[in-house]
Structures are given as structure tokens and as C-alpha cells.
Amino acid sequence: MPNTTYAFDETQDFFLNNQVKLRQPKLGYRAGIDPVFLAASIDIKAGDRVLDVGAGHGAASICLAHRKPNCTITGIEIRPNLVRLANDNAKLNNFHSRVQILVGDLTDKSCGLDVEAFDHVMANPPYWPASRAGMPNENARYSSDVEGSAELADWVNFLLNKVCRKGSITLIHRADRLDEILSHFYGKAGDVIVFPLWPKRGLPANRVIVRARKAVHSPATVASGLVLHEEDGKYTAEASKILNGSANPLSKIKLK
């Protein structure tokens, strides 16, 4: 087991029905359902290359490696301590031959990665612009939740730069920023699928999964989405299948 010393306390947690182990900081960003749903939304063929932008401690990359054994995953993350932790998590799950997380800043357009080098790119960007953050910057989650020098447009443009033509770009983000996301795809990617995640039946979606394909001009689709919780707060059967690793939220909406 990795024994690296970090500048933060850690916990070890389990995902995908206890099949994935993740060491993560006790304070600051901690993986919830978002990276699990993101990883479950990538439609992969054997041999595909995937880029995880803003990989953090590797939650989405490692969940994807578990779900899809025939792909290779590269991640970039700006915080070196989290990069070390992500690579240790890959070793912890025996995925170090297929998952590699690199230190990288997406405002550096190269980051040492070739243009159009990946079949799929995915990201769980910070949800808040600095002007709407509503939290002090000394909060342990600030750098994960609030945009820094890279704004949402920079994230989307970087993803578009690294994915191959007709490759897929997949994001999970706040539903109230959907119009902004779509505006950045306009004229550059199409075949957009918007998949709402409804917290409960009858409530507005607060998260969306958005998938698009570079240099494709097919019209957009709004999917029926998925309800996450029953009235008693428990996960719905459909959500539980995804969180347990046995279903894909976009499995019925295939890339053309």
C-alpha cells in the first residue's frame, strides 16, 4: 500500500459497491456521486484513450478504469499533492499501468499533451465563478469549488483542443450554467446530449451531464435524465445501479 506523507489528513473510502478504494483528504474536496456519474457516462471502445481534466485525487479516472478495463486514462491536476495521491490511488487499485495523473495547468495550452490526442475527454470543473462563490478563499474546498485563473470557457476550450475529431467531451456541472456550457460548444461540437440529474421527482435539476462530439453538427438532445432520490432520501433504484457500477446513465443514448 502507498505510504506517501501528504500535507493533509486522509481517509480511505469505498466506491462502486466497495470495489474501488480511494484515499482522499479529510478536509477540502471529497468525492461524492459526481465523479462516479461522470465516469459512468463515457462510452468507450477497447483501446480508447481518455483524458481527465482536473483529476483531483483520481476518483473519476479510477472509477472509469474499474468500469472499462480496455482503456488508458491520463489525468491532469494543478495541485502536486493531489497528483501524488491520485497516482497512489491508482496503485492502490492496481490500475497504475493504465491510469497516470500528471501535474498540469490547463491555462498552459499544451500541458505536455498533444492536440487531438484523446478519443474522450471528461471533466468535473469548479461549479462557481469567483464572482458568485459565496465562500471565503481560505475554505478548504475553495480551489475545487471556485474557478481560479481558468474560467469555464477555458475548461471547455482545453477539452476541445485535446479531443480528436468526432471524439466525445463529457462534463458534469451545475444545471444553472447549462446555457454557458452550450454557448462554448456552439460551432465547435454537436450531437450534444443534456442529461439532467433530478434531486427528487418534481424538483428542478441542479446537476446536468453534458456530452458533445467535436466537429460534429448533429442537433442537440435533451434526455429524460434520472431521479437521484426517493422522497425518504434514499437513492432510487436507477441511481443505485450507477453508484454500484452496474449501469451507465447514458447507456441508452449511444454516440453515433
Side-chain angles (χ1 to χ4, degrees):
M1 178 178 292
N3 58 6
T4 307
T5 299
Y6 300 100
F8 43 73
D9 293 330
E10 310 156 44
T11 63
Q12 181 167 288
D13 303 288
F14 295 86
F15 295 80
L16 300 183
N17 201 25
N18 295 327
Q19 297 173 92
V20 164
K21 294 171 284 190
L22 285 177
R23 295 164 66 207
Q24 51 184 341
K26 187 177 290 186
L27 298 176
Y29 174 74
R30 291 177 57 78
I33 69 170
D34 289 358
V36 178
F37 271 77
L38 177 63
S41 302
I42 313 300
D43 189 19
I44 284 180
K45 304 186 298 296
D48 279 354
R49 302 152 300 169
V50 183
L51 176 65
D52 181 6
V53 180
H57 47 68
S61 291
I62 291 166
C63 286
L64 180 59
H66 172 80
R67 297 180 66 102
K68 301 290 185 179
N70 297 316
C71 66
T72 58
I73 303 160
T74 302
I76 64 163
E77 167 58 46
I78 196 170
R79 292 161 288 185
N81 259 7
L82 290 186
V83 171
R84 297 207 314 272
L85 182 56
N87 286 314
D88 282 350
N89 278 329
K91 294 175 185 175
L92 186 64
N93 290 277
N94 296 315
F95 295 142
H96 52 284
S97 64
R98 296 194 293 117
V99 176
Q100 182 183 27
I101 312 301
L102 308 172
V103 177
D105 181 347
L106 65 85
T107 61
D108 172 359
K109 299 303 182 185
S110 69
C111 278
L113 303 172
D114 291 336
V115 173
E116 298 189 341
F118 297 91
D119 303 289
H120 309 276
V121 295
M122 63 180 182
N124 180 190
Y127 286 147
W128 297 101
S131 61
R132 294 174 54 197
M135 71 170 67
N137 58 14
E138 64 269 18
N139 186 297
R141 290 185 58 98
Y142 189 90
S143 60
S144 297
D145 289 359
V146 181
E147 294 170 0
S149 58
E151 298 180 347
L152 184 54
D154 300 306
W155 283 76
V156 174
N157 287 333
F158 186 85
L159 295 168
L160 285 164
N161 180 264
K162 299 308 176 192
V163 74
C164 66
R165 291 178 64 81
K166 299 190 178 181
S168 74
I169 306 111
T170 307
L171 300 169
I172 186 165
H173 215 292
R174 290 179 57 88
D176 61 5
R177 298 190 74 182
L178 176 60
D179 55 344
E180 189 178 351
I181 294 169
L182 296 180
S183 73
H184 298 317
F185 282 142
Y186 185 77
K188 303 172 184 175
D191 197 15
V192 176
I193 298 169
V194 178
F195 191 93
L197 298 174
W198 316 102
K200 291 184 178 180
R201 291 175 180 84
L203 293 181
N206 52 24
R207 295 283 187 273
V208 287
I209 299 167
V210 181
R211 191 172 71 191
R213 294 174 64 208
K214 180 176 176 176
V216 171
H217 302 289
S218 304
T221 300
V222 179
S224 57
L226 184 141
V227 178
L228 297 176
H229 298 99
E230 302 287 4
E231 289 304 313
D232 61 5
K234 294 180 180 178
Y235 285 114
T236 61
E238 294 82 3
S240 293
K241 288 178 182 178
I242 295 164
L243 296 173
N244 289 335
S246 58
N248 178 332
L250 297 179
S251 61
K252 295 181 181 178
I253 310 173
K254 294 296 184 183
L255 290 171
K256 299 178 180 63

